[in-house]
């Protein structure tokens, strides 16, 4: 489970959505592993908590050296893994601000979806750069992303799935006789479809 602990900035105005716009891209970048008992200090980076698979309790220490306001972002909702934040006296700490970035919102008329498809191979480097930029600029409005990617020079089917700031990829084996076709579906609120389409098109193999 990925987590980010970072200092709040004045520009955040104690607004989780404003802070999330800075933080979301960290969940798709490099992570630092943390085993139970590890000491975690505020840094602008993502950490991967090694949680026991059997549901037993795991404790981590968050060390705050300077008095101030700090954000704690988690990959999953706190109740999904029984997260509790306690002080040195083992008393639970109540957050000053709280926000669940729920990928649902189907009741909101501003929420919509669209898809992109292409037979042209995708440049993986350009795609990663575009994806990082997209998460930074539209991450709070992008509820879900999923699909298949046909990367240049790669004979494996790449599956991509994302919820807000968290995007994972995996392989499904060789393409075989299947058409080598990339397909992406976006679900979100007031997404800039034209901008996303232009950005994705710029990732495609120009020679194809």
């Amino acid at each position: 489970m990925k987590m980010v602990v970072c200092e709040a900035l004045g520009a955040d105005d104690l607004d989780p959505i404003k802070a999330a716009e800075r933080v979301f891209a960290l969940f798709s970048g490099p992570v630092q592993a943390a085993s139970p008992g590890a000491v975690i200090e505020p840094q602008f980076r993502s950490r991967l908590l090694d949680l026991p698979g059997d549901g037993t309790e795991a404790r981590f220490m968050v060390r705050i050296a300077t008095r101030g306001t700090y954000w704690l972002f988690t990959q999953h909702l706190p109740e999904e893994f029984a997260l509790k934040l306690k002080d040195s006296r083992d008393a639970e700490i109540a957050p000053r601000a709280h926000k669940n970035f729920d990928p649902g919102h189907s009741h909101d008329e501003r929420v919509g979806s669209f898809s992109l498809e292409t037979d042209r191979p995708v440049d993986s480097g350009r795609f990663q750069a575009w994806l990082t930029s997209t998460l930074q600029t539209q991450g709070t409005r992008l509820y879900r992303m999923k699909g298949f990617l046909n990367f240049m020079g790669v004979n494996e089917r790449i599956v991509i799935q994302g919820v807000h700031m968290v995007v994972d990829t995996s392989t499904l084996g060789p393409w075989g006789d299947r058409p080598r076709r990339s397909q992406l579906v976006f679900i979100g609120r007031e997404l800039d479809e034209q901008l996303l389409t232009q950005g994705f098109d710029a990732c495609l193999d120009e020679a194809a």
Side-chain angles (χ1 to χ4, degrees):
M1 199 276 299
K2 296 179 182 179
M3 181 182 77
V4 173
V5 179
C6 64
E7 187 172 6
L9 303 181
D12 295 340
D13 295 327
L14 206 61
D15 183 347
I17 295 179
K18 289 184 179 180
E21 292 175 351
R22 294 189 292 114
V23 173
F24 273 9
L26 297 178
F27 284 83
S28 298
V31 297
Q32 179 182 8
S35 299
V39 176
I40 297 174
E41 296 181 340
Q43 290 182 326
F44 200 61
R45 66 186 305 173
S46 175
R47 290 178 172 81
L48 180 63
L49 304 187
D50 183 14
L51 302 180
D54 58 4
T56 57
E57 182 181 88
R59 293 200 171 205
F60 300 83
M61 177 182 292
V62 178
R63 178 183 292 161
I64 305 296
T66 306
R67 184 182 180 89
T69 303
Y70 295 84
W71 294 110
L72 188 154
F73 287 91
T74 56
Q75 178 180 3
H76 302 290
L77 297 178
E79 53 267 28
E80 292 184 42
F81 56 101
L83 173 68
K84 292 183 180 180
L85 192 62
K86 298 184 177 182
D87 61 18
S88 58
R89 296 169 297 180
D90 208 36
E92 287 197 40
I93 301 174
R96 293 177 59 190
H98 178 264
K99 171 69 177 176
N100 285 342
F101 292 93
D102 183 1
H105 305 279
S106 58
H107 63 281
D108 193 333
E109 294 182 355
R110 297 172 298 173
V111 174
S113 65
F114 69 94
S115 62
L116 300 174
E117 297 187 20
T118 181
D119 294 322
R120 295 165 60 188
V122 179
D123 183 292
S124 60
R126 280 183 285 177
F127 179 83
Q128 184 58 51
W130 168 73
L131 179 61
T132 298
S133 175
T134 297
L135 293 176
Q136 291 173 339
T137 57
Q138 301 198 56
T140 56
R141 305 194 302 274
L142 181 59
Y143 298 150
R144 290 190 185 276
M145 177 177 64
K146 57 185 179 180
F148 300 94
L149 293 168
N150 172 29
F151 281 147
M152 292 170 51
V154 178
N155 195 38
E156 302 282 331
R157 298 172 68 203
I158 307 299
V159 180
I160 184 168
Q161 299 186 72
V163 176
H164 286 304
M165 75 293 259
V166 183
V167 177
D168 294 314
T169 58
S170 58
T171 60
L172 275 183
W175 284 93
D177 296 331
R178 301 180 185 88
R180 296 177 71 104
R181 185 173 184 80
S182 295
Q183 299 172 305
L184 285 178
V185 177
F186 300 88
I187 303 172
R189 175 177 54 83
E190 297 179 335
L191 295 176
D192 190 330
E193 181 175 347
Q194 181 178 0
L195 184 62
L196 287 170
T197 301
Q198 292 174 345
F200 179 69
D201 285 348
C203 302
L204 305 181
D205 181 12
E206 298 172 355

